[in-house]
Amino acid sequence: MASKYVVVQILLTLLSVASLSKADLYSDYYDKTCPELEKIVSETVLNASKYDPKVPARLLRMFFHDCFIRGCDASILLDSTPANKAEKGGRPNLSVRSFYVIDQAKAKLEKSCPRTVSCADILTIAARDVVVQSGGPSWEVLKGRKDGRVSKASDTRNLPAPTSNVSQLIQSFASRGLDVKDMVTLSGGHTLGFSHCSSFEARLQNFSLLHDIDPNLDSDFAQDLKKKCPATPLRDQNAGQFLDSTASVFDNDYYKRLLAGKGVFLSDQSLVGDYRTSYIVDAFAKDQSLFFKEFTASMLKLGNVGVSTNGEVRLDCRVVN
Ligand code: HEM
């Protein structure tokens, strides 16, 4: 048993080393130009989360969706214009909220160190802060990203869907330089937050020719979800399900629930049934500190996806300069 565990650890380490990032980002990038940066972002995020406990999950998801479309360039923060429907207007992003928190941090930073800190770096720091504030691990955020000038709603089609199978998920992450371990680890972001019924209701009725309900769903949990998401036209638009049983605490409960057949999305639950991913789910369900260590490494890699050091530092995160 112990030797199987050591093999898993070695495998995870090899996977991480094989795909270290190459972007030119630095932990001390703003040390001279904006020494108060991290304090300002962290206080802003903490204050906002106190008033609205949904903020941490929303900012973590916002960061993921930003990095997956055109890289971590804050393209998700740009507002639509009459001539252009921006990423925010893309279907998967309609439920991404709390953009005002990044605006608040940016406004304070423009006072203390004008024209210096990119919106992409603010979002990256905020994503780390919400993890820490929810009880998860901490890490040094690498900085120096520039903000992009392009944001298109149509690009959001390239975000992974909650109906994806493991091969589709692996492919989606691989095309951004993220490996299988990163994919399973970052899916652990679903330790925070909530989903609307529309993202998982296909599992609850007419699932397949053979099964009305997804057979990989725990049956009590399936009944619970059916109650929360009745198939009636008048259903509450806000109805849905928390993604794990401790949805405001960053922990490894998500993986434990996957093993119990209580993953909310088909994409989550599929990680248990595939030999390429199941050993990682097992390891994280058993060992929270291993999950935390790998989450840190994978978030650093996610933060390096498609990073541009040639863009601009936006003055207002919602509009290009
Ligand atoms: C593996 C592929 C992924 C898929 C298919 C996926 C899909 C989804 C979907 C459908 C929702 C619910 C949206 C809604 O109905 O409101 C959601 C929520 C969420 N996702 Fe993911 N996601 C994935 C990966 C990630 C990653 C990598 C992270 C962060 C590291 C993340 C963080 C979150 C968070 C925190 C929420 C809750 C948001 C809230 O409460 O407002 N997801 N995800």
Side-chain angles (χ1 to χ4, degrees), residues 5-20 179 181-182 279-280 284 290 293-294 297 301:
Y5 188 70
V6 172
V7 172
V8 168
Q9 291 252 20
I10 293 171
L11 264 173
L12 290 175
T13 308
L14 287 175
L15 282 170
S16 307
V17 172
S19 46
L20 280 176
D179 58 37
K181 188 273 298 182
D182 298 315
Y279 74 99
I280 308 178
F284 290 165
L290 178 65
K293 181 173 150 270
E294 296 300 336
K301 280 177 70 180

PDB file of all heavy atoms in Angstrom, residues 5-20 179 181-182 279-280 284 290 293-294 297 301:
ATOM      1  N   TYR A   5       1.566   4.251  -2.939  1.00  0.00           N
ATOM      2  CA  TYR A   5       1.442   5.668  -2.646  1.00  0.00           C
ATOM      3  C   TYR A   5       2.694   6.429  -3.099  1.00  0.00           C
ATOM      4  O   TYR A   5       2.616   7.494  -3.705  1.00  0.00           O
ATOM      5  CB  TYR A   5       1.230   5.808  -1.133  1.00  0.00           C
ATOM      6  CG  TYR A   5       0.903   7.204  -0.720  1.00  0.00           C
ATOM      7  CD1 TYR A   5      -0.321   7.752  -1.062  1.00  0.00           C
ATOM      8  CD2 TYR A   5       1.810   7.962  -0.015  1.00  0.00           C
ATOM      9  CE1 TYR A   5      -0.631   9.041  -0.701  1.00  0.00           C
ATOM     10  CE2 TYR A   5       1.513   9.238   0.356  1.00  0.00           C
ATOM     11  CZ  TYR A   5       0.291   9.787   0.014  1.00  0.00           C
ATOM     12  OH  TYR A   5      -0.005  11.073   0.371  1.00  0.00           O
ATOM     13  N   VAL A   6       3.866   5.822  -2.821  1.00  0.00           N
ATOM     14  CA  VAL A   6       5.121   6.466  -3.232  1.00  0.00           C
ATOM     15  C   VAL A   6       5.169   6.565  -4.751  1.00  0.00           C
ATOM     16  O   VAL A   6       5.552   7.592  -5.322  1.00  0.00           O
ATOM     17  CB  VAL A   6       6.334   5.659  -2.697  1.00  0.00           C
ATOM     18  CG1 VAL A   6       7.640   6.186  -3.280  1.00  0.00           C
ATOM     19  CG2 VAL A   6       6.364   5.712  -1.180  1.00  0.00           C
ATOM     20  N   VAL A   7       4.710   5.504  -5.433  1.00  0.00           N
ATOM     21  CA  VAL A   7       4.709   5.519  -6.903  1.00  0.00           C
ATOM     22  C   VAL A   7       3.837   6.664  -7.412  1.00  0.00           C
ATOM     23  O   VAL A   7       4.207   7.398  -8.329  1.00  0.00           O
ATOM     24  CB  VAL A   7       4.214   4.157  -7.462  1.00  0.00           C
ATOM     25  CG1 VAL A   7       4.033   4.232  -8.970  1.00  0.00           C
ATOM     26  CG2 VAL A   7       5.201   3.062  -7.100  1.00  0.00           C
ATOM     27  N   VAL A   8       2.663   6.855  -6.782  1.00  0.00           N
ATOM     28  CA  VAL A   8       1.761   7.946  -7.185  1.00  0.00           C
ATOM     29  C   VAL A   8       2.469   9.295  -7.026  1.00  0.00           C
ATOM     30  O   VAL A   8       2.458  10.136  -7.918  1.00  0.00           O
ATOM     31  CB  VAL A   8       0.453   7.927  -6.360  1.00  0.00           C
ATOM     32  CG1 VAL A   8      -0.345   9.198  -6.571  1.00  0.00           C
ATOM     33  CG2 VAL A   8      -0.396   6.722  -6.749  1.00  0.00           C
ATOM     34  N   GLN A   9       3.124   9.476  -5.873  1.00  0.00           N
ATOM     35  CA  GLN A   9       3.847  10.739  -5.609  1.00  0.00           C
ATOM     36  C   GLN A   9       4.910  10.980  -6.670  1.00  0.00           C
ATOM     37  O   GLN A   9       5.036  12.078  -7.210  1.00  0.00           O
ATOM     38  CB  GLN A   9       4.536  10.666  -4.237  1.00  0.00           C
ATOM     39  CG  GLN A   9       3.581  10.663  -3.074  1.00  0.00           C
ATOM     40  CD  GLN A   9       3.617  12.000  -2.330  1.00  0.00           C
ATOM     41  OE1 GLN A   9       4.052  12.990  -2.870  1.00  0.00           O
ATOM     42  NE2 GLN A   9       3.123  12.021  -1.109  1.00  0.00           N
ATOM     43  N   ILE A  10       5.681   9.912  -7.003  1.00  0.00           N
ATOM     44  CA  ILE A  10       6.756  10.062  -7.989  1.00  0.00           C
ATOM     45  C   ILE A  10       6.158  10.405  -9.354  1.00  0.00           C
ATOM     46  O   ILE A  10       6.626  11.307 -10.048  1.00  0.00           O
ATOM     47  CB  ILE A  10       7.612   8.772  -8.078  1.00  0.00           C
ATOM     48  CG1 ILE A  10       8.374   8.577  -6.760  1.00  0.00           C
ATOM     49  CG2 ILE A  10       8.581   8.828  -9.258  1.00  0.00           C
ATOM     50  CD1 ILE A  10       9.077   7.252  -6.626  1.00  0.00           C
ATOM     51  N   LEU A  11       5.067   9.712  -9.705  1.00  0.00           N
ATOM     52  CA  LEU A  11       4.410   9.975 -10.996  1.00  0.00           C
ATOM     53  C   LEU A  11       3.965  11.428 -11.097  1.00  0.00           C
ATOM     54  O   LEU A  11       4.179  12.097 -12.109  1.00  0.00           O
ATOM     55  CB  LEU A  11       3.169   9.086 -11.125  1.00  0.00           C
ATOM     56  CG  LEU A  11       3.338   7.779 -11.886  1.00  0.00           C
ATOM     57  CD1 LEU A  11       2.062   6.949 -11.781  1.00  0.00           C
ATOM     58  CD2 LEU A  11       3.655   8.066 -13.343  1.00  0.00           C
ATOM     59  N   LEU A  12       3.361  11.925 -10.016  1.00  0.00           N
ATOM     60  CA  LEU A  12       2.868  13.306 -10.014  1.00  0.00           C
ATOM     61  C   LEU A  12       4.036  14.286 -10.165  1.00  0.00           C
ATOM     62  O   LEU A  12       3.961  15.253 -10.912  1.00  0.00           O
ATOM     63  CB  LEU A  12       2.101  13.611  -8.724  1.00  0.00           C
ATOM     64  CG  LEU A  12       0.754  12.903  -8.576  1.00  0.00           C
ATOM     65  CD1 LEU A  12       0.144  13.176  -7.209  1.00  0.00           C
ATOM     66  CD2 LEU A  12      -0.220  13.336  -9.658  1.00  0.00           C
ATOM     67  N   THR A  13       5.140  14.004  -9.471  1.00  0.00           N
ATOM     68  CA  THR A  13       6.294  14.895  -9.549  1.00  0.00           C
ATOM     69  C   THR A  13       6.852  14.910 -10.970  1.00  0.00           C
ATOM     70  O   THR A  13       7.147  15.959 -11.533  1.00  0.00           O
ATOM     71  CB  THR A  13       7.390  14.429  -8.566  1.00  0.00           C
ATOM     72  OG1 THR A  13       6.778  14.287  -7.299  1.00  0.00           O
ATOM     73  CG2 THR A  13       8.535  15.423  -8.494  1.00  0.00           C
ATOM     74  N   LEU A  14       6.984  13.708 -11.573  1.00  0.00           N
ATOM     75  CA  LEU A  14       7.516  13.640 -12.941  1.00  0.00           C
ATOM     76  C   LEU A  14       6.634  14.423 -13.903  1.00  0.00           C
ATOM     77  O   LEU A  14       7.113  15.170 -14.746  1.00  0.00           O
ATOM     78  CB  LEU A  14       7.609  12.180 -13.399  1.00  0.00           C
ATOM     79  CG  LEU A  14       8.745  11.370 -12.752  1.00  0.00           C
ATOM     80  CD1 LEU A  14       8.668   9.915 -13.193  1.00  0.00           C
ATOM     81  CD2 LEU A  14      10.108  11.960 -13.105  1.00  0.00           C
ATOM     82  N   LEU A  15       5.309  14.260 -13.744  1.00  0.00           N
ATOM     83  CA  LEU A  15       4.376  14.970 -14.622  1.00  0.00           C
ATOM     84  C   LEU A  15       4.564  16.475 -14.493  1.00  0.00           C
ATOM     85  O   LEU A  15       4.552  17.207 -15.471  1.00  0.00           O
ATOM     86  CB  LEU A  15       2.930  14.603 -14.282  1.00  0.00           C
ATOM     87  CG  LEU A  15       2.442  13.246 -14.798  1.00  0.00           C
ATOM     88  CD1 LEU A  15       1.088  12.903 -14.171  1.00  0.00           C
ATOM     89  CD2 LEU A  15       2.313  13.251 -16.303  1.00  0.00           C
ATOM     90  N   SER A  16       4.773  16.951 -13.246  1.00  0.00           N
ATOM     91  CA  SER A  16       4.923  18.395 -13.025  1.00  0.00           C
ATOM     92  C   SER A  16       6.211  18.901 -13.673  1.00  0.00           C
ATOM     93  O   SER A  16       6.217  19.905 -14.370  1.00  0.00           O
ATOM     94  CB  SER A  16       4.997  18.729 -11.544  1.00  0.00           C
ATOM     95  OG  SER A  16       3.915  18.179 -10.886  1.00  0.00           O
ATOM     96  N   VAL A  17       7.314  18.184 -13.454  1.00  0.00           N
ATOM     97  CA  VAL A  17       8.607  18.649 -13.944  1.00  0.00           C
ATOM     98  C   VAL A  17       8.617  18.667 -15.462  1.00  0.00           C
ATOM     99  O   VAL A  17       9.179  19.559 -16.093  1.00  0.00           O
ATOM    100  CB  VAL A  17       9.731  17.739 -13.404  1.00  0.00           C
ATOM    101  CG1 VAL A  17      11.060  18.076 -14.061  1.00  0.00           C
ATOM    102  CG2 VAL A  17       9.839  17.880 -11.895  1.00  0.00           C
ATOM    103  N   ALA A  18       7.908  17.696 -16.067  1.00  0.00           N
ATOM    104  CA  ALA A  18       7.931  17.579 -17.521  1.00  0.00           C
ATOM    105  C   ALA A  18       7.319  18.792 -18.201  1.00  0.00           C
ATOM    106  O   ALA A  18       7.568  19.045 -19.360  1.00  0.00           O
ATOM    107  CB  ALA A  18       7.172  16.320 -17.943  1.00  0.00           C
ATOM    108  N   SER A  19       6.510  19.560 -17.471  1.00  0.00           N
ATOM    109  CA  SER A  19       5.812  20.642 -18.166  1.00  0.00           C
ATOM    110  C   SER A  19       5.958  21.981 -17.442  1.00  0.00           C
ATOM    111  O   SER A  19       5.007  22.705 -17.298  1.00  0.00           O
ATOM    112  CB  SER A  19       4.344  20.262 -18.305  1.00  0.00           C
ATOM    113  OG  SER A  19       3.877  19.766 -17.094  1.00  0.00           O
ATOM    114  N   LEU A  20       7.150  22.270 -16.968  1.00  0.00           N
ATOM    115  CA  LEU A  20       7.365  23.578 -16.328  1.00  0.00           C
ATOM    116  C   LEU A  20       7.192  24.705 -17.346  1.00  0.00           C
ATOM    117  O   LEU A  20       7.479  24.543 -18.520  1.00  0.00           O
ATOM    118  CB  LEU A  20       8.778  23.630 -15.736  1.00  0.00           C
ATOM    119  CG  LEU A  20       8.943  22.918 -14.390  1.00  0.00           C
ATOM    120  CD1 LEU A  20      10.394  22.958 -13.947  1.00  0.00           C
ATOM    121  CD2 LEU A  20       8.068  23.534 -13.322  1.00  0.00           C
ATOM    122  N   ASP A 179      -1.206  19.255 -18.245  1.00  0.00           N
ATOM    123  CA  ASP A 179      -1.255  17.800 -18.378  1.00  0.00           C
ATOM    124  C   ASP A 179      -2.419  17.197 -17.577  1.00  0.00           C
ATOM    125  O   ASP A 179      -3.228  17.918 -16.982  1.00  0.00           O
ATOM    126  CB  ASP A 179       0.100  17.188 -17.989  1.00  0.00           C
ATOM    127  CG  ASP A 179       0.490  17.551 -16.565  1.00  0.00           C
ATOM    128  OD1 ASP A 179      -0.407  17.618 -15.695  1.00  0.00           O
ATOM    129  OD2 ASP A 179       1.684  17.772 -16.308  1.00  0.00           O
ATOM    130  N   LYS A 181      -2.448  15.551 -14.826  1.00  0.00           N
ATOM    131  CA  LYS A 181      -2.409  15.865 -13.391  1.00  0.00           C
ATOM    132  C   LYS A 181      -2.965  17.264 -13.142  1.00  0.00           C
ATOM    133  O   LYS A 181      -3.764  17.484 -12.230  1.00  0.00           O
ATOM    134  CB  LYS A 181      -0.957  15.756 -12.878  1.00  0.00           C
ATOM    135  CG  LYS A 181      -0.787  15.876 -11.380  1.00  0.00           C
ATOM    136  CD  LYS A 181      -0.631  17.285 -10.866  1.00  0.00           C
ATOM    137  CE  LYS A 181       0.590  17.974 -11.401  1.00  0.00           C
ATOM    138  NZ  LYS A 181       0.743  19.342 -10.848  1.00  0.00           N
ATOM    139  N   ASP A 182      -2.584  18.233 -13.975  1.00  0.00           N
ATOM    140  CA  ASP A 182      -3.116  19.593 -13.819  1.00  0.00           C
ATOM    141  C   ASP A 182      -4.635  19.576 -13.949  1.00  0.00           C
ATOM    142  O   ASP A 182      -5.339  20.260 -13.199  1.00  0.00           O
ATOM    143  CB  ASP A 182      -2.552  20.537 -14.894  1.00  0.00           C
ATOM    144  CG  ASP A 182      -1.044  20.685 -14.797  1.00  0.00           C
ATOM    145  OD1 ASP A 182      -0.544  20.856 -13.678  1.00  0.00           O
ATOM    146  OD2 ASP A 182      -0.368  20.622 -15.843  1.00  0.00           O
ATOM    147  N   TYR A 279      -6.398   7.289 -10.263  1.00  0.00           N
ATOM    148  CA  TYR A 279      -5.396   7.163  -9.202  1.00  0.00           C
ATOM    149  C   TYR A 279      -5.084   8.529  -8.582  1.00  0.00           C
ATOM    150  O   TYR A 279      -4.728   8.626  -7.406  1.00  0.00           O
ATOM    151  CB  TYR A 279      -4.125   6.469  -9.739  1.00  0.00           C
ATOM    152  CG  TYR A 279      -3.264   7.332 -10.645  1.00  0.00           C
ATOM    153  CD1 TYR A 279      -2.118   7.976 -10.156  1.00  0.00           C
ATOM    154  CD2 TYR A 279      -3.583   7.510 -11.994  1.00  0.00           C
ATOM    155  CE1 TYR A 279      -1.330   8.761 -10.981  1.00  0.00           C
ATOM    156  CE2 TYR A 279      -2.805   8.298 -12.824  1.00  0.00           C
ATOM    157  CZ  TYR A 279      -1.680   8.920 -12.317  1.00  0.00           C
ATOM    158  OH  TYR A 279      -0.911   9.713 -13.134  1.00  0.00           O
ATOM    159  N   ILE A 280      -5.265   9.577  -9.361  1.00  0.00           N
ATOM    160  CA  ILE A 280      -5.008  10.924  -8.814  1.00  0.00           C
ATOM    161  C   ILE A 280      -6.164  11.337  -7.883  1.00  0.00           C
ATOM    162  O   ILE A 280      -5.944  11.882  -6.799  1.00  0.00           O
ATOM    163  CB  ILE A 280      -4.818  11.958  -9.956  1.00  0.00           C
ATOM    164  CG1 ILE A 280      -3.773  11.453 -10.954  1.00  0.00           C
ATOM    165  CG2 ILE A 280      -4.395  13.307  -9.381  1.00  0.00           C
ATOM    166  CD1 ILE A 280      -3.545  12.371 -12.160  1.00  0.00           C
ATOM    167  N   PHE A 284      -5.729  12.258  -3.895  1.00  0.00           N
ATOM    168  CA  PHE A 284      -6.163  13.536  -3.313  1.00  0.00           C
ATOM    169  C   PHE A 284      -7.243  13.332  -2.253  1.00  0.00           C
ATOM    170  O   PHE A 284      -7.315  14.079  -1.278  1.00  0.00           O
ATOM    171  CB  PHE A 284      -6.674  14.481  -4.402  1.00  0.00           C
ATOM    172  CG  PHE A 284      -5.587  15.005  -5.312  1.00  0.00           C
ATOM    173  CD1 PHE A 284      -5.911  15.602  -6.520  1.00  0.00           C
ATOM    174  CD2 PHE A 284      -4.248  14.929  -4.964  1.00  0.00           C
ATOM    175  CE1 PHE A 284      -4.929  16.102  -7.365  1.00  0.00           C
ATOM    176  CE2 PHE A 284      -3.249  15.411  -5.793  1.00  0.00           C
ATOM    177  CZ  PHE A 284      -3.590  16.000  -7.008  1.00  0.00           C
ATOM    178  N   LEU A 290      -1.353  16.672  -0.082  1.00  0.00           N
ATOM    179  CA  LEU A 290      -0.869  16.390  -1.438  1.00  0.00           C
ATOM    180  C   LEU A 290      -1.685  17.199  -2.454  1.00  0.00           C
ATOM    181  O   LEU A 290      -1.133  17.806  -3.374  1.00  0.00           O
ATOM    182  CB  LEU A 290      -0.982  14.887  -1.740  1.00  0.00           C
ATOM    183  CG  LEU A 290      -0.556  14.458  -3.146  1.00  0.00           C
ATOM    184  CD1 LEU A 290       0.937  14.704  -3.371  1.00  0.00           C
ATOM    185  CD2 LEU A 290      -0.887  12.985  -3.390  1.00  0.00           C
ATOM    186  N   LYS A 293      -0.547  20.780  -2.351  1.00  0.00           N
ATOM    187  CA  LYS A 293       0.764  20.966  -2.986  1.00  0.00           C
ATOM    188  C   LYS A 293       0.615  20.974  -4.511  1.00  0.00           C
ATOM    189  O   LYS A 293       1.163  21.832  -5.204  1.00  0.00           O
ATOM    190  CB  LYS A 293       1.677  19.820  -2.537  1.00  0.00           C
ATOM    191  CG  LYS A 293       3.073  19.865  -3.063  1.00  0.00           C
ATOM    192  CD  LYS A 293       3.913  18.767  -2.394  1.00  0.00           C
ATOM    193  CE  LYS A 293       5.014  18.283  -3.323  1.00  0.00           C
ATOM    194  NZ  LYS A 293       4.642  17.173  -4.178  1.00  0.00           N
ATOM    195  N   GLU A 294      -0.148  20.026  -5.019  1.00  0.00           N
ATOM    196  CA  GLU A 294      -0.323  19.949  -6.472  1.00  0.00           C
ATOM    197  C   GLU A 294      -1.176  21.108  -6.995  1.00  0.00           C
ATOM    198  O   GLU A 294      -0.961  21.594  -8.101  1.00  0.00           O
ATOM    199  CB  GLU A 294      -0.960  18.604  -6.861  1.00  0.00           C
ATOM    200  CG  GLU A 294      -0.105  17.398  -6.550  1.00  0.00           C
ATOM    201  CD  GLU A 294       1.249  17.427  -7.269  1.00  0.00           C
ATOM    202  OE1 GLU A 294       1.376  18.094  -8.314  1.00  0.00           O
ATOM    203  OE2 GLU A 294       2.187  16.793  -6.743  1.00  0.00           O
ATOM    204  N   ALA A 297       1.045  24.034  -7.570  1.00  0.00           N
ATOM    205  CA  ALA A 297       1.868  23.881  -8.784  1.00  0.00           C
ATOM    206  C   ALA A 297       1.019  24.087 -10.038  1.00  0.00           C
ATOM    207  O   ALA A 297       1.440  24.759 -10.993  1.00  0.00           O
ATOM    208  CB  ALA A 297       2.520  22.496  -8.792  1.00  0.00           C
ATOM    209  N   LYS A 301       1.023  26.985 -13.142  1.00  0.00           N
ATOM    210  CA  LYS A 301       1.041  26.671 -14.580  1.00  0.00           C
ATOM    211  C   LYS A 301      -0.143  27.306 -15.307  1.00  0.00           C
ATOM    212  O   LYS A 301       0.003  27.848 -16.401  1.00  0.00           O
ATOM    213  CB  LYS A 301       1.030  25.149 -14.784  1.00  0.00           C
ATOM    214  CG  LYS A 301       2.399  24.525 -14.592  1.00  0.00           C
ATOM    215  CD  LYS A 301       2.366  23.023 -14.731  1.00  0.00           C
ATOM    216  CE  LYS A 301       2.122  22.589 -16.164  1.00  0.00           C
ATOM    217  NZ  LYS A 301       2.091  21.098 -16.252  1.00  0.00           N
TER     218      LYS A 301
END
